[in-house]
Amino acid sequence: MEVFLQQLINGLTLGSIYGLIAIGYTMVFGIIGMVNFAHGDVFMVGGFIALILFMLITAWLGVAVIPALILVLVCGMALTGLWNWTIERVAYRPLRGSFRLAPLISAIGMSIFLSNLVQVIQGPRNKPLPPMIQGTITVMGEGSNTVVLAYKQIVIMVVTALLLAVFWWLVQKTPLGRAQRACEQDRKMAALLGIDVDRTISITFVIGAALAAVAGVMYLMYYGVVNFADGFVPGVKAFTAAVLGGIGSLPGAVIGGLLIGLIETMWSAYFTIDYKDVAAFSILAITLIFLPTGILGRPEVEKV
Amino acid sequence: MSVRVTEAPAPVVGAGQPLLSVRGVKTYYGNIIALKGVDLDVNQGEIVTLIGANGAGKSTLMMTIFGSPRAREGRITFAGTDITQLPTHEIARLRISQSPEGRRVFPRMTVYENLQMGAAINDFAHFDEDVERMFALFPRLKERIGQRGGTLSGGEQQMLAIARALMARPKLLLLDEPSLGLAPLIVKQIFDAIRELNRKEGLTVFLVEQNAYHALKLAHRGYVMVNGVITMSGGGRELLADPQVRAAYLEGGHH
Ligand SMILES: Nc1ncnc2c1ncn2[C@@H]1O[C@H](COP(=O)(O)OP(=O)(O)O)[C@@H](O)[C@H]1O
Ligand SMILES: [Mg+2]
C-alpha cells in the first residue's frame, strides 16, 4: 500500500512533466499534421536555458528561490518560445506545401542539430543544478514504510495544474485560441475568415515550446541534472503520451502524460527499473495496434 | 475608393466602377486549366448570379477571388484595390465574405463559436448586436447555439455558413451553392433571407448556383459559365427567358 501510494505521487509528478511536453506534440500535429521530432530537444534546450538562468539569478544575483523560480519560468518560456518560433520559420515553413514527409525529415534533422549544438556548447556530461527546493512531508507510515511528498513534487504538480488552467482558458475562451482551433479544423476556411494561418501556426509552436520549457525547468528541478541527450527519451515518452491520449486532443495529452508517468514508476517499483523505458515504448506499440485513435481520439465520423 | 476607370461595359444597376471586377482570369490546378480567361463584374448593391453545370469552374472562380488557388493570369480588383496577389486572409479583411462550397462549418466548434469566427476581422465590435440580427434572420440557429457545427443538419449548416459570413459585415458576400442538397422549404427561406439583406441593407451578393431557376429569379444579373469561360450574360429575367439557358439549365430542373 505504501509503495503504491509513493509511486502514485512519483508517477503523477513525472506524468505532469510528460503531459506538458505532450501538449506541444499534440498541438503541432493537430494544426499541421506533422510529428515534430525536434520537440523533445526543444524541451532539453528549455532545460539548459533554465539551468543557465538559475545559475545567473541565484548564484550571481543572489535572488531567493521562489522569485528565482518564477523568473526562470517566465524567461525560460519566452526564450524557448522564441527559439521554437525560429525553428518553425527556418526549417518547417519553407517546406509547407512540399511532399508530406519533407517537414518530418527536416524535424529529425533539427532534432539531431539541437542535441549536437548543446553537446558542443555545454559539453557531453551531465550538468548538475544545486538542489533548489528541499524538504519533504511525510504523508503516512513510519520507519522504513513511509510515504513522502517532496516540496519539489508539490511545486511541480501545482505549477503544472496552474499552467494547464491558463492554457485551457487561452485555447477555449480567447480569440487566439479560437483561431488556433479553427486552423486545426479547417485551415482554408480560417483563412477565408481573415485568420493569418501562418501566424497562428507560429504561435502554436511558441506555446508548445513555452510549455516544454516549463517541463524543462521541472525536469531539471526534479532530477537535478540535465544532459544534451535528455531530449530523446522524455521526448519519445511524451510523444507516446500524446498518442495514448489521442493525438490532436489536448486533455488527451495530459491524461496520456499522467498515465505514462504512472506506468513508468509502477513498473520500476513492481518489476524492474532496468526496463522502465521499454515499458513506455511497448505502450506506444500496443496503442498504435489496438487503439490507434487513443483514449480521447476523435471518432472518424466527425471529420469533414 | 480610387477612381480607376475600367473598360467594363456599363453596369445595369448602379453607376461608376464595379465593386468586384474580374478580368482575363486564368486558374490552373497543376497543369490543368480550370478557368480559361474569365471576365465578370459585380456592382455595388447588386445580386449577381453565376450558373453553370457541375465542373464548369464556378467554385474555382469563388476561391480564386480569395487567392486560393491563385489566378495565374489576369486581374481581380475589389473596391478599386488590386487583390490578385494579396494573401487570402488580407482579402477577407477587405470585407469580402464567403459561404464556400460544402459550407465548411467548423465541426468541433459550437454555433456560437462559429459566429465568433465570422466576426474575427472586425474585432467583435457590434458582436452582440450582429448575433441578434443573425438569430432574427435564421431563428433555427438560436435553438442550436451551443451545438457543435458538425452535428447540425445540412440546412442548419448552410444557415450557419451564411450567418458566419455575414458576421464580418461584408461589403460583398459570395455564396457558393447555398441551395445544394436542401429541402425546397429551406431553400426558399435562404433565398428570402438573401433578398431581404439585399433590399434592406443594400448588401452586394455574388451567388453561384446550379439551381438556375431560383437564382436567376433572385438576381439582377446573371452569367453563364461553360468549361471555364463565360458564355452568356444578361439580366436575370432575360437569361431566364433565353431558350438556350432554358434548354441547358432549366428544363427538367427544380421549379
Ligand atoms: N482541388 C482541385 N484539384 C484539381 N482539380 C480540381 C480541383 N477542384 C476542382 N477541380 C477541377 O476544376 C474544374 C472546375 O471545378 P469546380 O470549380 O469545382 O466546378 P463547379 O463549382 O462549377 O462545379 C473541374 O474539372 C474540377 O474537376
Ligand atoms: Mg462548385
Side-chain angles (χ1 to χ4, degrees):
Chain A
M1 186 61 201
E2 282 83 4
V3 174
F4 177 80
L5 268 181
Q6 185 63 61
Q7 292 312 314
L8 189 68
I9 292 171
N10 296 348
L12 291 177
T13 311
L14 198 56
S16 302
I17 295 175
Y18 293 151
L20 286 172
I21 310 173
I23 288 175
Y25 278 109
T26 226
M27 278 180 97
V28 165
F29 186 86
I31 201 162
I32 53 174
M34 178 187 114
V35 177
N36 182 9
F37 265 104
H39 189 62
D41 298 280
V42 170
F43 152 77
M44 177 272 296
V45 168
F48 269 96
I49 290 176
L51 177 70
I52 295 165
L53 288 172
F54 260 130
M55 295 298 201
L56 277 177
I57 293 171
T58 56
W60 293 1
L61 302 178
V63 178
V65 170
I66 295 297
L69 180 63
I70 293 169
L71 228 94
V72 167
L73 280 173
V74 173
C75 299
M77 286 168 87
L79 288 173
T80 314
L82 182 68
W83 185 238
N84 211 27
W85 180 85
T86 313
I87 291 176
E88 193 271 336
R89 285 303 287 264
V90 172
Y92 307 150
R93 188 182 296 184
L95 297 171
R96 212 169 289 149
S98 174
F99 66 105
R100 257 185 81 80
L101 284 178
L104 195 76
I105 294 166
S106 187
I108 293 171
M110 187 51 74
S111 164
I112 296 167
F113 168 74
L114 288 178
S115 57
N116 281 298
L117 180 74
V118 173
Q119 185 181 7
V120 168
I121 297 176
Q122 294 289 321
R125 268 173 298 168
N126 276 347
K127 290 279 168 180
L129 178 78
M132 309 290 313
I133 300 171
Q134 282 166 313
T136 57
I137 305 173
T138 303
V139 181
M140 60 180 276
E142 47 200 49
S144 60
N145 266 342
T146 54
V147 178
V148 293
L149 182 59
Y151 285 130
K152 63 183 178 187
Q153 289 179 314
I154 299 175
V155 170
I156 291 173
M157 288 190 264
V158 168
V159 168
T160 303
L162 278 177
L163 209 73
L164 289 179
V166 171
F167 173 71
W168 188 247
W169 169 81
L170 183 85
V171 169
Q172 291 299 320
K173 300 291 176 201
T174 65
L176 174 68
R178 231 172 6 245
Q180 207 268 331
R181 284 184 290 142
C183 288
E184 190 194 311
Q185 294 174 31
D186 189 342
R187 269 202 266 168
K188 203 167 192 173
M189 188 64 229
L192 290 185
L193 293 171
I195 301 299
D196 186 341
V197 174
D198 280 339
R199 185 171 155 265
T200 309
I201 292 172
S202 285
I203 293 172
T204 302
F205 274 84
V206 170
I207 293 174
L211 294 178
V214 175
V217 176
M218 301 299 158
Y219 185 87
L220 178 68
M221 227 171 64
Y222 197 47
Y223 289 111
V225 291
V226 60
N227 179 291
F228 77 98
D230 275 348
F232 184 68
V233 170
V236 177
K237 283 179 189 162
F239 174 67
T240 305
V243 173
L244 179 62
I247 192 125
S249 160
L250 298 177
V254 178
I255 292 169
L258 293 176
L259 279 175
I260 294 292
L262 284 171
I263 290 164
E264 183 179 328
T265 48
M266 295 294 174
W267 182 283
S268 311
Y270 290 108
F271 297 100
T272 159
I273 197 159
D274 292 338
Y275 293 108
K276 68 182 169 70
D277 295 345
V278 176
F281 299 146
S282 310
I283 285 159
L284 178 60
I286 292 167
T287 312
L288 287 173
I289 295 167
F290 294 106
L291 195 67
T293 56
I295 297 166
L296 295 181
R298 222 169 270 162
E300 289 296 318
V301 282
E302 258 202 88
K303 287 228 176 93
V304 277
Chain B
M1 267 182 230
S2 90
V3 285
R4 200 180 72 83
V5 183
T6 64
E7 61 293 325
V12 177
V13 179
Q17 63 171 358
L19 183 62
L20 175 78
S21 134
V22 176
R23 285 288 169 275
V25 162
K26 294 188 183 172
T27 302
Y28 293 75
Y29 290 108
N31 290 321
I32 300 162
I33 188 162
L35 299 181
K36 301 170 183 167
V38 171
D39 295 308
L40 172 150
D41 286 317
V42 178
N43 298 301
Q44 179 73 48
E46 273 187 319
I47 300 178
V48 174
T49 188
L50 173 66
I51 60 173
N54 206 358
K58 305 182 297 296
S59 300
T60 303
L61 176 62
M62 295 296 244
M63 291 308 287
T64 302
I65 292 169
F66 273 90
S68 163
R70 210 161 277 289
R72 211 176 278 181
E73 280 178 45
R75 221 162 104 88
I76 303 169
T77 58
F78 176 72
T81 312
D82 188 337
I83 59 170
T84 324
Q85 298 302 329
L86 225 53
T88 301
H89 68 273
E90 283 178 28
I91 294 172
R93 287 178 177 272
L94 296 174
R95 291 177 186 281
I96 312 181
S97 285
Q98 178 166 187
S99 165
E101 178 166 59
R103 297 147 196 161
R104 301 187 95 140
V105 157
F106 295 111
R108 295 181 298 284
M109 285 193 183
T110 63
V111 166
Y112 191 74
E113 286 175 323
N114 268 278
L115 294 176
Q116 285 179 310
M117 285 306 300
I121 69 161
N122 50 31
D123 289 328
F124 306 96
H126 42 72
F127 177 77
D128 292 336
E129 181 193 335
D130 287 357
V131 168
E132 285 310 317
R133 279 174 55 226
M134 293 309 124
F135 288 162
L137 202 59
F138 301 117
R140 271 297 264 286
L141 293 181
K142 190 168 188 171
E143 299 164 26
R144 297 280 181 267
I145 183 93
Q147 202 171 313
R148 286 172 157 216
T151 64
L152 299 177
S153 74
E156 289 162 349
Q157 286 193 353
Q158 189 61 64
M159 292 175 196
L160 178 56
I162 296 172
R164 180 180 62 185
L166 288 169
M167 288 301 290
R169 293 207 172 174
K171 292 179 187 158
L172 171 64
L173 175 66
L174 307 188
L175 298 172
D176 196 338
E177 303 212 38
S179 74
L180 188 71
L182 301 187
L185 196 70
I186 300 186
V187 173
K188 186 178 178 308
Q189 221 177 316
I190 286 175
F191 277 46
D192 285 348
I194 297 167
R195 184 180 289 114
E196 190 182 309
L197 285 164
N198 175 259
R199 290 214 180 128
K200 287 201 183 142
E201 303 180 17
L203 180 69
T204 311
V205 180
F206 181 37
L207 172 73
V208 160
E209 265 297 341
Q210 277 198 65
N211 192 339
Y213 177 74
H214 280 110
L216 288 172
K217 261 186 74 179
L218 175 72
H220 300 110
R221 290 191 303 119
Y223 291 86
V224 178
M225 183 181 268
V226 178
N227 276 329
V229 282
I230 301 290
T231 56
M232 242 189 266
S233 67
R237 309 260 153 193
E238 198 183 319
L239 287 175
L240 206 51
D242 186 281
Q244 263 179 289
V245 172
R246 295 193 71 86
Y249 304 106
L250 294 173
E251 247 83 275
H254 353 230
H255 287 163

